[in-house]
Amino acid sequence: MRLESSTTIIEIRPSATLAQSYDLKGLLLRRLPILTWLPLYSWSKLLQDTLAGLTVGLTAIPQGIAYAIVAGLPAQYGLYSGFMGCFVYLIFGGSKDITVGPTAIMALMVQKYVIGLGEDFAVLVCFLSGAVITVMGVLHLGFLVDFISMPVICGFSNAAAIIIATSQLGTLLGIKGRSDSFVDAILKVIDHIKETQLWDTVLGVCSMVVLVLLKMLPGKKQGSLFEKFMWLVSLARNAIVVMVGVLIAYVLFSHDILPFQITGDIAEGLPPFTPPPFTIVNGSRTYTFSEAVGELGIGILSIPLIAILESIAIAKAFAKGKTVDANQEMLALGLCNICGSFVRSMPVTGSFTRTAVNNASGVKTPMGGVITGGLVLLACGLLTATFKFIPKATLAAVIIIAMFYMLELRIFIVLWRTKKIDLVPLIVTLLCCLAVGLEYGMIAGIAVNLILLLYFAARPGLLIEERIVDGLTVLFVSPKQSLSFPAAEYLRERVMSWCDKRPANIPVVIEGRHVLRIDATVAKNMALLLSDLATRDQMVIFWNWCEDARRTLISYNSSLATYCRSSGSIAQIFSERKKICNLVAFLFARNKKRRFFPRDR
């Protein structure tokens, strides 16, 4: 800042120390969002957060147990995974609505490792996923998520919902055993359909019907007392159905009536605080850390990537106009997984269902997650003896209904109406996920997307037609997008092919209104096109090219500057070009004649 007077000039500059302090403060506020909202916290916000936290907790407890069973883990792992993520996200999370914990997709992706290699692998995957996500957040690699398109994400989520729902069909019908894949789940139900248990099926189907009816209750948060009650019942429907199932099973089992399969004993008390297992013993084999990582294979990258996708997509969905710092969300999610691995947690991420409940409950700050975590922690310490009476059919019903509402079938209609080609990566991802596996399905969908991107880059839209402009017939060529090297030869071939079909040597106008960027290969092919058309006695004008593209052309060949125009009528430009060409030809012929027939002196 400079202050001028009639006699002196005073220059004031902020000190380096003051600037550094501001930078440090800004960094702390970005990396520790709790410092932003905690000083403004109030009792009214605490009341709202407490109500939201308790409501979400009633959903988180039954879902946590159900998703642990999906992953092939003991039920307590679903509770262990719930509370640590809530406490860590309180400090590092930037969204007030997100609830971090076990999800159906994470459970499904961990399942094959748990079934084949044991429970400790789920904890190790949790730690490794957290480490990968944290590193990506620190390195600001959030932009990588942008390379996975919406059709691929929808295909993946729909496939996951179908796989999880079908994996619970056997449990819903009382058929014992587990399935390893979508096809295996269907075949298991078909092969063992005669083993269906009547009362498990009745309880499961009734639970599904009640869940759907409770979701349809016409309640309002801001309505009358009755409407508020209906709204709360609808939000807590999972907990209500599970508690009713527990009550029925407990009463029957206390009278030695055993009609249902129940969850069974759940480890009591809080989880031990221990480092994640870097050396794993499974049966008679011991896996070192490197061997365990080798067993995980592609899962060491695919699981963190899916966790990031889920969490960031949810954060953006509930941002309501606010910006979402993807790198900070990744950092928070990574630390949630790393810390969770010290309390025997399975991999966690943002849950859409619980986040929706949190938002609908009017949560004000991430403090609501602490209330949810406290309720889950209380359940771990006091209610595990009750949880063993949860009927498996009831949990299966909770999972199947959750997966039903997770399906996005309307996306097929939307893509059909908007861009039919987007159905290709959607269907490829869906089918490959169902047939081969979630990781390979995601890779197949991304590969198809990249192929389509490369194809459209190599085959850009071109408008080529004859037009009468200012009384002059010209061949009008207009690329509909920027041009890169895969499209250079294609553009040249299309123009020459069109000219070969026209006997008249009409002028060519290459309009660059939509071309914002070209590279050296495109500039080279434009020079070659100019040379090819010159041999056919066809004049070329590069019309209305932007400054950046025109500069690239001229930098490649300075003579191209005379062919670039952005003002004046096209007829006038070609008339001037023709006069110039005729003059050049005349001078060339005269000079040639003088050379061979010199004038007598």
Side-chain angles (χ1 to χ4, degrees):
M1 181 173 64
R2 296 170 63 89
L3 302 177
E4 299 188 13
S5 67
S6 59
T7 56
T8 60
I9 297 178
I10 304 172
E11 186 171 350
I12 302 174
R13 295 180 181 177
S15 66
T17 305
L18 184 61
Q20 290 175 357
S21 66
Y22 277 117
D23 290 342
L24 179 59
K25 180 180 179 181
L27 179 63
L28 285 175
L29 292 177
R30 287 197 305 272
R31 294 294 171 253
L32 297 173
I34 189 175
L35 299 178
T36 303
W37 58 264
L38 189 60
L40 305 176
Y41 204 63
S42 62
W43 288 106
S44 62
K45 290 182 180 179
L46 177 61
L47 183 62
Q48 287 277 12
D49 288 342
T50 301
L51 174 63
L54 292 174
T55 306
V56 174
L58 293 176
T59 303
I61 292 173
Q63 279 193 346
I65 295 173
Y67 294 150
I69 293 173
V70 170
L73 294 166
Q76 64 267 19
Y77 277 77
L79 300 177
Y80 296 165
S81 305
F83 73 88
M84 182 57 77
C86 296
F87 288 109
V88 175
Y89 194 83
L90 168 74
I91 301 173
F92 297 97
S95 172
K96 67 180 180 64
D97 298 297
I98 284 187
T99 301
V100 175
T103 65
I105 293 179
M106 286 291 99
L108 182 60
M109 296 195 73
V110 169
Q111 183 191 72
K112 68 176 183 179
Y113 302 111
V114 174
I115 293 174
L117 304 169
E119 301 170 9
D120 285 345
F121 266 84
V123 181
L124 181 60
V125 170
C126 182
F127 174 81
L128 293 175
S129 298
V132 171
I133 296 170
T134 302
V135 170
M136 292 179 68
V138 170
L139 297 179
H140 290 202
L141 298 180
F143 70 92
L144 293 176
V145 179
D146 298 334
F147 286 92
I148 303 178
S149 68
M150 181 262 288
V152 174
I153 295 173
C154 290
F156 177 87
S157 60
N158 281 338
I162 293 171
I163 294 172
I164 294 169
T166 53
S167 71
Q168 297 301 307
L169 282 178
T171 305
L172 186 76
L173 300 176
I175 300 173
K176 296 182 179 180
R178 66 169 69 249
S179 56
D180 298 328
S181 64
F182 168 72
V183 176
D184 184 49
I186 299 297
L187 293 177
K188 188 187 82 170
V189 172
I190 295 174
D191 293 339
H192 299 83
I193 193 66
K194 294 182 179 179
E195 300 176 13
T196 300
Q197 303 297 313
L198 174 63
W199 293 112
D200 283 297
T201 305
V202 170
L203 180 62
V205 172
C206 290
S207 298
M208 292 171 63
V209 172
V210 172
L211 285 168
V212 173
L213 293 176
L214 290 179
K215 183 176 176 60
M216 297 170 61
L217 285 177
K220 293 181 181 180
K221 179 184 175 183
Q222 303 298 334
S224 63
L225 184 61
F226 178 75
E227 288 176 329
K228 289 181 179 179
F229 176 74
M230 290 293 100
W231 169 78
L232 186 60
V233 169
S234 179
L235 288 180
R237 59 187 176 274
N238 288 339
I240 292 172
V241 168
V242 169
M243 286 189 291
V244 171
V246 168
L247 182 61
I248 294 173
Y250 177 77
V251 171
L252 293 176
F253 274 65
S254 62
H255 291 82
D256 295 328
I257 303 174
L258 313 176
F260 313 125
Q261 296 180 38
I262 60 174
T263 303
D265 292 333
I266 298 177
E268 296 183 4
L270 302 178
F273 189 84
T274 57
F278 296 111
T279 300
I280 298 174
V281 179
N282 182 37
S284 59
R285 181 172 177 182
T286 300
Y287 294 89
T288 63
F289 178 73
S290 59
E291 290 175 337
V293 172
E295 290 289 339
L296 293 174
I298 194 175
I300 200 170
L301 294 178
S302 61
I303 294 175
L305 182 61
I306 299 305
I308 292 170
L309 279 175
E310 276 197 89
S311 192
I312 294 180
I314 293 169
K316 289 181 178 180
F318 289 91
K320 294 182 179 179
K322 298 181 181 178
T323 58
V324 174
D325 187 345
N327 296 306
Q328 180 61 30
E329 290 300 315
M330 290 164 62
L331 183 65
L333 181 61
L335 292 175
C336 285
N337 278 278
I338 291 175
C339 296
S341 66
F342 284 82
V343 290
R344 304 292 294 176
S345 169
M346 59 186 283
V348 297
T349 186
S351 166
F352 188 86
T353 303
R354 296 191 292 276
T355 300
V357 171
N358 206 21
N359 178 266
S361 302
V363 70
K364 297 299 181 182
T365 69
M367 186 67 75
V370 174
I371 307 301
T372 299
L375 187 60
V376 173
L377 201 61
L378 187 65
C380 288
L382 302 178
L383 300 178
T384 50
T386 304
F387 291 154
K388 74 175 183 179
F389 289 103
I390 299 176
K392 289 185 175 181
T394 300
L395 288 179
V398 169
I399 295 171
I400 291 173
I401 294 301
M403 294 305 101
F404 173 76
Y405 288 113
M406 182 176 161
L407 283 173
E408 296 182 73
L409 299 180
R410 188 174 175 273
I411 190 64
F412 290 90
I413 300 174
V414 171
L415 294 182
W416 180 263
R417 290 176 178 173
T418 53
K419 193 76 171 177
K420 295 181 178 61
I421 193 66
D422 285 338
L423 286 170
V424 176
L426 171 64
I427 294 173
V428 168
T429 304
L430 177 63
L431 295 180
C432 289
C433 285
L434 293 177
V436 184
L438 290 178
E439 297 96 334
Y440 298 103
M442 175 66 77
I443 293 173
I446 295 173
V448 170
N449 247 349
L450 292 178
I451 291 171
L452 290 176
L453 285 175
L454 293 174
Y455 176 79
F456 289 122
R459 297 293 182 267
L462 290 177
L463 174 64
I464 304 179
E465 62 183 9
E466 291 183 12
R467 288 185 180 180
I468 299 177
V469 182
D470 299 329
L472 179 68
T473 301
V474 299
L475 180 63
F476 190 82
V477 180
S478 178
K480 297 181 179 180
Q481 64 189 60
S482 294
L483 301 173
S484 55
F485 65 91
E489 189 66 29
Y490 172 73
L491 173 60
R492 180 184 165 202
E493 289 178 356
R494 285 289 304 275
V495 174
M496 291 303 300
S497 175
W498 189 279
C499 291
D500 289 338
K501 299 175 183 177
R502 300 296 183 275
N505 295 330
I506 62 177
V508 177
V509 175
I510 302 179
E511 189 211 27
R513 178 177 51 177
H514 303 295
V515 180
L516 303 178
R517 175 185 61 83
I518 64 172
D519 54 30
T521 307
V522 176
K524 175 186 175 182
N525 276 268
M526 292 299 100
L528 291 174
L529 177 63
L530 183 66
S531 176
D532 293 340
L533 292 175
T535 61
R536 300 167 54 92
D537 197 24
Q538 287 183 265
M539 290 179 289
V540 179
I541 288 295
F542 298 104
W543 178 257
N544 283 339
W545 286 56
C546 72
E547 182 62 29
D548 184 62
R550 186 165 59 247
R551 190 184 304 115
T552 304
L553 281 174
I554 297 172
S555 298
Y556 178 80
N557 188 338
S558 59
S559 65
L560 294 177
T562 59
Y563 298 90
C564 296
R565 290 289 186 272
S566 58
S567 61
S569 69
I570 291 179
Q572 181 183 0
I573 290 171
F574 277 112
S575 177
E576 293 173 357
R577 293 289 307 158
K578 189 171 184 179
K579 289 178 182 179
I580 293 172
C581 291
N582 289 338
L583 179 60
V584 170
F586 171 75
L587 293 175
F588 176 78
R590 190 176 69 173
N591 289 338
K592 186 176 181 181
K593 183 178 180 180
R594 284 179 177 178
R595 188 183 307 162
F596 290 100
F597 304 101
R599 187 183 303 175
D600 293 336
R601 294 187 183 276

